Amino acid sequence: MDYLISGFIGAFKLLLSGDAETYSAVITTIAISSLSIVLSLIAGIPFGFLLGYFNFAGKRQVRAVVDTLLALPTVVVGLLVYAFISRRGPLGELGLLFTILGVALAQTILITPIVVSLTATAVESLDKRLGMTLATLGARGGQLAIATILEARYAVLIAAVTAYGRAISEVGISMMIGGNIKWHTRTITTAIALETGKGEFSMGIALGIILLSLALIANSLLIGLKRRN
Amino acid sequence: MKKTMRVLSVCIMALILAMPMASSAEVLRMATTTSTDNTGLLDYLAPTFKAQTGIELQWVSVGTGKALELGKNCDVDVLLVHAPSAEIKYVTEGYGVDRTQVMFNDFVFIGPKTDPAGIKGMSASEALKTIGMKKGLFASRADKSGTHVAESGLWKTAGLAVPDKEQWYIQTGQGMLNTINIAAERNAYTFTDRGTFIKYEANWKGNPPLVILVEGDKLLRNQYSVILVNPKRCSNVKNELANKFRVWMALPSTQKEIAAFTLMGKQLFIPNAHEK
Amino acid sequence: MADPALLRAEDVEFSYGDQFSLHVPEFIIPERSVIGFVGPNGSGKSTFLRVLAFLVKPHKGSIFFSDDAVSFDNDEITRHVTFLPQDPYLLKRSVFENVAYGLRVRHDHKNLGERVRGVLRQVGLSPDLFAERQWHELSGGEAQRVALASRLILRPKLLILDEPTANVDRESALLIKDAIVLLRREYDTALVIASHDILWLSGVAERIDKMVQGRIAGYVSENVLPGPWSRKSGELWSRMLPDGQVVRATAPPSENASALLSPRDIILSLKDPEGLSARNALRGHVTAIAMEETRESLTVTATVSNLSLHCRLTVQAVRELGILPGSSVFVIFKATSLRWNERDSS
């Protein structure tokens, strides 16, 4: 029990003293997850919009696939992406393995289904009168799509925050694709795994506290948005 | 709202652009085992290496099996591993070249202070025979790491099959420290490198539930070697940088530095680059 | 009368499953006209209005706008028509952005701020107080007025309104009515207004059409008899006309209430029927006889003192009476046929 307490004390010492290793992991985490959230929004919002807005044959099946992908295990994504971006893989020439970009791309695969599914649901649950209102005010084609997404913006932001939460907290992909390289691809979660493996509980707990704070910030944002919606 | 979004996106872009710039120096990528990373040896050596050669060493620490696999896939330039039999096979098969031994540390058998099977002070082979006979609980990493490969080899040297299906043989599939913790929880014996055990001991402020029972046997020597990934198979690897690292590790000055590295006041690695 | 048609619907059909279908052989909206539209809920009225607004494509039939056949994806023509539903939706933006939206999608940014402020004033919303309010900070009547303002700013050639005053407070209803009348006067906008407020419709519309079970049941113009009313005896009230004749009625909600009288509830006679006191028989003369669109009945307009009353008769009945414009007639209807407008009760 006392190692836990000394862990907490050590954690606050690390945080307050501005330990460079700790903050490097924090910045890497934020950089990777920010990059992956931007990419997943760019890919996921249009797809989610199409899925929620239009009715087409096979729509239910596509939804079922997307909803299944919500449960993608991180290690499966990690393994698949590794197979592709390893030097011996088809995309090996790009040199993405053990880079921030590589981890971000793999995380994008992980979290895009979240963005797609939640965006589609958001668009589907928009007021039935919206389309007619936009049409009668003179919106056409792309203007309709943009205004529809804007109407769903709070729900889409909720999707983004949810996806971000998944990105910052996953460890499988960061470990397999990033390689946990100190000062480069070591994220909060891989650092926790490493420090715990080394028996450095205070460092692990310090990083855990930061991760929880990030999740807390994301979630308070989410609660605020839900209220506005 | 719009303003904050703009500020936010600018911050993210700046962050993303700044990350790769930080690593503009020549980078050598190495796959190594958890023991060299967890003990802090590489954190201790890498700055000196950079100061003397201008090369930045980045490493991924995984089990020896995974490290060899990364080399096979051309994902790293150089390996620092400790599984001599697997390494020799690896070089024979053409995946690696210029294998150079650089240092060793040693393995120990640890177990509960009560020593239920009574192996204290035995040789490695005797100890394993006794554990097998008395069906003493034994935790194995079972993860193809260098430590696991060494352990498997010892069962064979003792004339026994690896007790893969025995109830008393606990296969954790995890890292060394986790495996030690599992052994402690189950009151089991286990096989570990000395460095990890010193760390473990320190976490318990010198009074751990598991203690060293078998040590000093010649068979327990844990040899580390540097292997270059074969540039003929992997055209992308930085063979020149990798070779610089190999040569540097064997330099008398580096060897002296390895000898001077201590953990909790105890020397961990014994340099032996010039031993034949 | 000779105004060219702004919009002409021909042979429009729309069906919902098997139970109900809308069928309108011909419907014309003359330029600058105001057309009232009445009918019970579920009569197909709202669907037909959406067809006229190019929001719902009919299953059959064609619509011509200024003599051009309209395909429903033709932006330029359909943008001249805009529709205000009974329960309008506001975009999740500020009042200003809601009103400006239609101009923004037309890339018409000239004097945008001033134009938005102008229409807000027209619907009785102070721009200083309301322009920056968010969509969720409005009462029902205010929201309805913002929705109307976002249509007024487009200066459409045709504005279609479905029950614009149904769910709003009295003050908003008055402001909405004023704004609609102003639009027509200033910009020559043609209007189609569906409303249960027949009194108001009778005041602004040149024609009132009724839809029943998906069919336009023809021209109906409700007669309006304004107050003041005075109590005569018991439940019987009366109104003295300038020429001394008396209209008898049941108890009105207030002295100055207006009564509505359906043209179907009136009969004409050449002789004074001399009957029950609860029946009105007023002396007047015929001023006009008009054929209805359905060609089954005639609308006869008779003037009694200062009132002009429309009554609906079959061709056969008119022929038998032998009346012509100028003929003297008795206009006969029951006191209980006068209906009171609920809105006048307060």
Side-chain angles (χ1 to χ4, degrees):
Chain A
M1 198 58 210
D2 50 320
Y3 73 76
L4 204 65
I5 294 161
S6 67
F8 268 103
I9 295 166
F12 282 105
K13 274 186 196 154
L14 275 172
L15 290 180
L16 295 176
S17 65
D19 179 66
E21 229 180 297
T22 312
Y23 283 90
S24 159
V26 172
I27 289 168
T28 305
T29 300
I30 293 174
I32 290 176
S33 49
S34 300
L35 192 54
S36 63
I37 193 72
V38 168
L39 293 174
S40 73
L41 290 179
I42 291 170
I45 289 177
F47 189 46
F49 173 79
L50 295 177
L51 205 50
Y53 194 72
F54 293 105
N55 286 314
F56 51 89
K59 173 173 168 156
R60 268 214 214 152
Q61 287 76 1
V62 176
R63 271 312 286 268
V65 169
V66 170
D67 290 344
T68 307
L69 294 180
L70 290 179
L72 263 182
T74 57
V75 285
V76 171
V77 177
L79 194 65
L80 281 175
V81 173
Y82 173 78
F84 272 88
I85 68 176
S86 163
R87 287 288 178 185
R88 317 240 48 193
L91 301 177
E93 291 306 304
L94 302 176
L96 289 170
L97 192 65
F98 305 134
T99 64
I100 283 180
L101 190 61
V103 181
L105 286 175
Q107 279 191 355
T108 304
I109 293 170
L110 179 76
I111 65 178
T112 300
I114 299 176
V115 177
V116 171
S117 176
L118 293 184
T119 302
T121 306
V123 170
E124 269 171 2
S125 54
L126 280 173
D127 198 299
K128 295 279 169 283
R129 297 168 298 171
L130 172 67
M132 204 196 64
T133 303
L134 294 172
T136 204
L137 289 176
R140 298 289 182 264
Q143 294 170 337
L144 281 170
I146 290 166
T148 303
I149 282 290
L150 278 176
E151 285 298 298
R153 63 189 178 275
Y154 294 113
V156 171
L157 271 176
I158 288 170
V161 173
T162 309
Y164 195 78
R166 177 102 163 115
I168 58 168
S169 60
E170 73 79 29
V171 60
I173 290 170
S174 302
M175 193 64 102
M176 290 174 86
I177 307 299
N180 191 26
I181 299 173
K182 199 170 170 181
W183 308 117
H184 291 277
T185 58
R186 182 163 299 171
T187 65
I188 299 178
T189 51
T190 60
I192 290 175
L194 174 78
E195 298 303 334
T196 311
K198 278 167 38 177
E200 299 277 357
F201 289 105
S202 61
M203 183 85 172
I205 290 170
L207 291 162
I209 288 170
I210 296 171
L211 194 62
L212 279 174
S213 320
L214 285 178
L216 187 70
I217 292 167
N219 271 304
S220 13
L221 208 71
L222 194 66
I223 290 164
L225 286 173
K226 274 188 176 152
R227 197 168 296 147
R228 268 197 98 163
N229 205 23
Chain B
M1 178 87 183
K2 272 183 190 163
K3 213 174 189 181
T4 48
M5 290 293 272
R6 213 169 292 156
V7 171
L8 209 69
S9 48
V10 167
C11 288
I12 291 169
M13 285 311 291
L15 210 59
I16 290 163
L17 292 175
M19 294 309 292
M21 300 236 287
S23 57
S24 55
E26 276 198 294
V27 172
L28 175 65
R29 207 164 262 161
M30 176 169 81
T32 184
T33 63
T34 37
S35 50
T36 53
D37 188 30
N38 283 7
T39 53
L41 175 70
L42 290 173
D43 283 330
Y44 165 83
L45 291 177
T48 319
F49 180 59
K50 185 164 186 190
Q52 293 178 4
T53 62
I55 300 166
E56 184 178 334
L57 183 67
Q58 290 185 5
W59 63 91
V60 184
S61 65
V62 288
T64 294
K66 178 84 190 291
L68 295 174
E69 199 61 33
L70 285 172
K72 259 187 206 175
N73 287 344
C74 313
D75 291 325
V76 291
D77 308 313
V78 66
L79 309 171
L80 175 60
V81 287
H82 61 105
S85 56
E87 290 162 23
I88 289 163
K89 185 162 172 261
Y90 191 74
V91 172
T92 316
E93 284 169 355
Y95 296 118
V97 293
D98 297 340
R99 175 171 175 268
T100 306
Q101 60 179 35
V102 289
M103 62 190 187
F104 69 89
N105 68 352
D106 65 340
F107 291 114
V108 291
F109 281 96
I110 59 172
K113 280 176 198 157
T114 53
D115 189 13
I119 62 164
K120 194 175 168 80
M122 288 182 173
S123 73
S125 297
E126 282 168 18
L128 286 179
K129 276 180 193 155
T130 310
I131 289 168
M133 218 154 58
K134 299 198 173 166
K135 299 192 189 307
L137 282 178
F138 187 92
S140 167
R141 284 178 64 174
D143 61 351
K144 294 242 158 57
S145 59
T147 308
H148 177 229
V149 171
E151 180 216 308
S152 305
L154 286 175
W155 287 104
K156 281 175 201 137
T157 313
L160 299 165
V162 176
D164 197 30
K165 289 188 177 134
E166 298 293 340
Q167 282 286 323
W168 50 267
Y169 190 69
I170 305 160
Q171 305 192 47
T172 67
Q174 298 192 45
M176 196 63 249
L177 200 81
N178 282 338
T179 301
I180 295 177
N181 281 328
I182 290 166
E185 299 290 336
R186 299 289 305 271
N187 236 8
Y189 294 99
T190 190
F191 180 71
T192 174
D193 62 285
R194 190 182 290 273
T196 308
F197 181 73
I198 292 172
K199 277 234 136 183
Y200 172 74
E201 209 176 17
N203 288 340
W204 283 92
K205 307 242 180 326
N207 187 26
L210 299 182
V211 294
I212 294 176
L213 297 170
V214 174
E215 61 183 328
D217 190 323
K218 267 226 158 148
L219 288 173
L220 293 178
R221 186 189 267 210
N222 181 20
Q223 179 65 49
Y224 285 81
S225 303
V226 173
I227 304 175
L228 308 191
V229 173
N230 189 348
K232 281 180 191 140
R233 287 188 69 254
C234 303
S235 55
N236 64 289
V237 296
K238 296 168 183 162
N239 181 253
E240 202 178 316
L241 301 188
N243 197 46
K244 273 187 189 161
F245 176 74
R246 184 184 68 86
V247 171
W248 182 83
M249 280 296 276
L251 285 179
S253 59
T254 312
Q255 293 273 301
K256 212 175 273 176
E257 227 178 300
I258 290 171
F261 176 68
T262 58
L263 185 66
M264 311 294 160
K266 295 174 184 168
Q267 183 184 349
L268 267 185
F269 297 97
I270 299 133
N272 68 339
H274 301 292
E275 196 177 278
K276 282 289 157 189
Chain C
M1 286 311 274
D3 269 345
L6 176 68
L7 182 145
R8 192 171 85 246
E10 274 181 13
D11 220 12
V12 166
E13 278 183 35
F14 191 92
S15 49
Y16 315 80
D18 310 332
Q19 325 120 348
F20 180 80
S21 70
L22 178 80
H23 179 70
V24 179
E26 187 178 49
F27 187 83
I28 292 170
I29 303 170
E31 279 183 7
R32 288 180 291 276
S33 63
V34 179
I35 294 171
F37 220 75
V38 296
N41 292 331
S43 62
K45 196 174 50 169
S46 293
T47 305
F48 187 55
L49 294 182
R50 283 166 170 77
V51 170
L52 295 179
F54 304 111
L55 292 170
V56 172
K57 194 170 184 168
H59 297 142
K60 223 189 110 188
S62 29
I63 297 181
F64 299 87
F65 194 85
S66 304
D67 286 333
D68 294 321
V70 179
S71 81
F72 272 64
D73 350 284
N74 184 330
D75 307 356
E76 281 325 304
I77 289 183
T78 58
R79 272 181 167 177
H80 291 307
V81 182
T82 185
F83 176 64
L84 180 68
Q86 176 168 359
D87 181 18
Y89 178 84
L90 290 190
L91 303 176
K92 287 177 180 156
R93 309 171 181 211
S94 66
V95 167
F96 185 96
E97 286 303 324
N98 261 283
V99 176
Y101 183 76
L103 293 181
R104 288 204 195 281
V105 296
R106 287 168 172 79
H107 307 291
D108 178 1
H109 302 293
K110 211 174 145 197
N111 294 332
L112 189 62
E114 205 25 66
R115 287 155 79 186
V116 171
R117 297 169 74 83
V119 289
L120 283 177
R121 273 187 226 107
Q122 268 180 37
V123 296
L125 297 172
S126 153
D128 294 334
L129 283 177
F130 283 92
E132 293 313 316
R133 278 210 200 165
Q134 293 301 315
W135 74 99
H136 53 81
E137 299 171 324
L138 300 169
S139 75
E142 287 161 359
Q144 183 87 10
R145 280 142 72 186
V146 170
L148 177 62
S150 64
R151 273 86 176 161
L152 294 183
I153 201 169
L154 305 175
R155 294 191 189 170
K157 288 189 176 165
L158 174 60
L159 173 62
I160 298 170
L161 305 115
D162 191 0
E163 301 288 352
T165 60
N167 301 318
V168 302
D169 54 291
R170 202 178 157 75
E171 192 210 346
S172 292
L174 290 173
L175 284 160
I176 288 167
K177 289 173 184 176
D178 290 349
I180 291 169
V181 172
L182 188 79
L183 180 73
R184 195 231 173 172
R185 201 169 57 221
E186 304 224 323
Y187 308 120
D188 288 336
T189 298
L191 298 165
V192 175
I193 309 167
S195 177
H196 285 103
D197 190 348
I198 291 170
L199 194 67
W200 172 56
L201 273 191
S202 304
V204 298
E206 283 141 29
R207 191 179 100 202
I208 297 178
D209 287 321
K210 185 169 189 174
M211 181 159 268
V212 179
Q213 292 189 312
R215 305 287 187 277
I216 289 180
Y219 186 86
V220 187
S221 182
E222 292 272 324
N223 296 298
V224 183
L225 282 73
W229 303 88
S230 56
R231 175 180 287 222
K232 204 176 174 199
S233 65
E235 285 298 290
L236 211 58
W237 289 60
S238 68
R239 155 94 156 92
M240 176 90 78
L241 299 175
D243 70 350
Q245 296 197 79
V246 169
V247 180
R248 297 184 188 88
T250 55
S254 70
E255 285 187 4
N256 287 316
S258 296
L260 294 177
L261 177 60
S262 165
R264 294 167 190 275
D265 291 339
I266 299 177
I267 56 169
L268 296 180
S269 167
L270 297 174
K271 287 178 284 185
D272 188 347
E274 302 279 341
L276 296 161
S277 63
R279 181 183 285 186
N280 290 294
L282 305 171
R283 199 180 304 111
H285 61 273
V286 176
T287 49
I289 299 176
M291 180 74 77
E292 291 206 346
E293 279 178 16
T294 54
R295 297 166 198 279
E296 283 158 12
S297 51
L298 298 172
T299 298
V300 178
T301 310
T303 304
V304 176
S305 187
N306 66 337
L307 292 175
S308 185
L309 300 173
H310 305 293
C311 54
R312 191 175 214 207
L313 300 174
T314 60
V315 177
Q316 177 85 8
V318 172
R319 199 171 291 149
E320 281 172 11
L321 280 168
I323 50 174
L324 293 167
S327 305
S328 288
V329 287
F330 284 93
V331 177
I332 301 164
F333 53 92
K334 290 179 191 165
T336 51
S337 294
L338 292 172
R339 293 169 359 251
W340 301 106
N341 197 312
E342 294 302 320
R343 281 184 177 274
D344 289 334
S345 56
S346 57

